[in-house]
Amino acid sequence: MAKVYLTTPLYYVNAEPHLGHTYTTVVTDTLARWHRQKGDEVLFLTGTDEHGDKIVQAAAAAGVTPREHADRISGIFRATWDACGISYDHFIRTTDPYHVATVQELLGRMERAGDIYFGGYGGLYCYGCERFYTEKELVDGKCPDHQVAPTYIEEENYFFRMSRYQQRLIEELEANPHRIEPERYRNEVLALLRGEALGDLCISRPKTRLSWGIELPFDARYVAYVWVDALANYVSAVRHVHPDAFDAYWPAAEHLIGKDILKPHGIFWTTMLMSAGLPLFKQLHVHGYWTRGESKMSKSLGNVIRPLEMKQRFGMDAFRYFLLREMAFGQDATFSEDAFVTRVNADLANNLGNLVSRTLAMQQRYFAGIVQPLDEWTDGDRALANAFAAAREEVAAFCEQLAFHRALEALWRAIDHANKYIVTTAPFTLAKNPDTKPRAGAVLHHLLEGLFVAAVLLRPFLPETSAKMLTMLAMPADARLGAEWQWGGAMADGQITQPPEILFPRIETDAA
Ligand code: MSP
């Protein structure tokens, strides 16, 4: 069994879960479920990033200590993912003692490698981003993310000789084109590396300015820069969860991140690993940004979409479907309530919902739910079977590429086909005549088989819907499409299906 180690970024505890966090988490959850379904051994990690200036400021604004603040918001993230049914295996907090130990150990290794030195530094610092900016990076003299002018600060600090690894990283990324995907993000990192001297990375903050952090193992007057602290989590967690299988899981690590944190992952983390003498992660999967209108969605700019509110209003699967279907992984997408309602109504309420309710209602009405034998296949039957066989292959291929929108599109082609098959075969007419009623039973059997394939294929994407469909079909919750499975073989003659339950009520809007 292959080992698969999937990670989300660790979310800052300065904001509560919003659409951006939910997207990364839902995508990683889908991938984790997909691998588990394939039989892989999965470790799915998420958690919270709790140290640094930003958190101190957020705590101060809330009138509590950083620790109290971090406990509260981290708890909200965890409870949110639990309520949303996210199947993470481990939730890490950067304040966990085992993580603190790993950060110190990694820094110790980097220091022993001769890669850390002490020096003075002055620069433009954005408190929101927790980092120094070069003049060139500013837009109208302001931080492009926070739209505030950075502050000039001077201090003595420790530096990581990142520059030492510049050439090695270029060669590594050239030799392993899949290390960073999609390709445009690999090109972006390569362009950065080839374009300018990398410079060294300031990896400490004096405790006089910031004490909410992890103490440097070689100088108690300093804490670690929050990115160095946070990135190390990926190693801490696997050491903690699988202390005896670190060597098996670590090189299997696949980090899922948004494009805004490409540089820390693509450059800081890779060079830190090289310095510490650890193998690189397997892959970095970079997704785009959800926008609403022109502005990036974040708390400071308003327009917040809360996952629990979406779940409560529309159901988690409808929300998951929209996120996975609307955004091509790697590209940006726009979130609008109109687009959400249109997709849910068209694809879920109408297309999938109708197929399920019509098929199961006819099965109930004409055969009391009892599955009828198949007869000799017609060309139409064969075409239906082929449509689902194609969907099965396409879903697998697209999931491997993280092209979830295309996987769903492929599955919906088969669902569409099945709805048309109902129209062309007209089982509702066939069932009324005793001579043709057996054919109606066979047609419904084909449709039930299609629903079964759809339910299994949907499992990683829409887990609740998949489970409900399997229950209605009287199939085991863990049913799979194993190597031995053949069309018509899953639904047994005589098996009793249940009456349909409405999966996705149509969303009515004022405009409708
Ligand atoms: N704490 C760092 C990550 C450290 S990882 C070692 C961080 N946290 S974050 O809470 O600000 O954001 C985490 C993730 O949410 C990132 O992957 C980011 O891209 C994603 N998103 C935040 N807003 C987003 C959108 N509007 N759209 C898509 N994803 C975005 O960064």
Side-chain angles (χ1 to χ4, degrees), residues 8-15 18-25 48-50 54 77 94 226-227 229-234 256-261 264-265 287-292 295-298 327 332-333:
T8 73
L10 294 199
Y11 303 117
Y12 283 130
V13 291
N14 64 344
H18 58 58
L19 179 66
H21 306 126
T22 313
Y23 178 72
T24 321
T25 309
T48 43
D49 185 354
E50 306 185 8
K54 268 195 209 180
F77 269 96
T94 55
V226 70
W227 267 106
D229 165 349
L231 288 163
N233 94 85
Y234 301 130
L256 287 97
I257 60 164
K259 65 180 184 182
D260 55 323
I261 52 176
H265 283 82
H287 67 73
Y289 244 71
W290 282 98
T291 54
R292 268 189 106 169
S295 65
K296 259 202 224 171
M297 203 170 321
S298 75
M327 181 178 263
D332 291 348

Side-chain angles (χ1 to χ4, degrees), residues 355 388 411 445-459 466 469-470 473-482 485-491 495:
L355 180 64
F388 279 92
L411 178 53
H445 191 147
H446 281 292
L447 286 164
L448 292 170
E449 192 76 13
L451 285 183
F452 169 71
V453 176
V456 174
L457 295 180
L458 271 179
R459 191 185 277 134
S466 163
M469 286 171 67
L470 290 170
L473 293 169
M475 294 299 282
D478 60 352
R480 287 169 192 232
L481 295 168
W485 169 81
Q486 281 187 339
W487 182 263
M491 299 300 297
Q495 184 170 331

Side-chain angles (χ1 to χ4, degrees), residues 26 50 66 122 159 162 178 245 257 457 508:
V26 162
E50 306 185 8
F159 291 83
M162 201 157 68
H178 298 297
I257 60 164
L457 295 180
E508 300 301 341

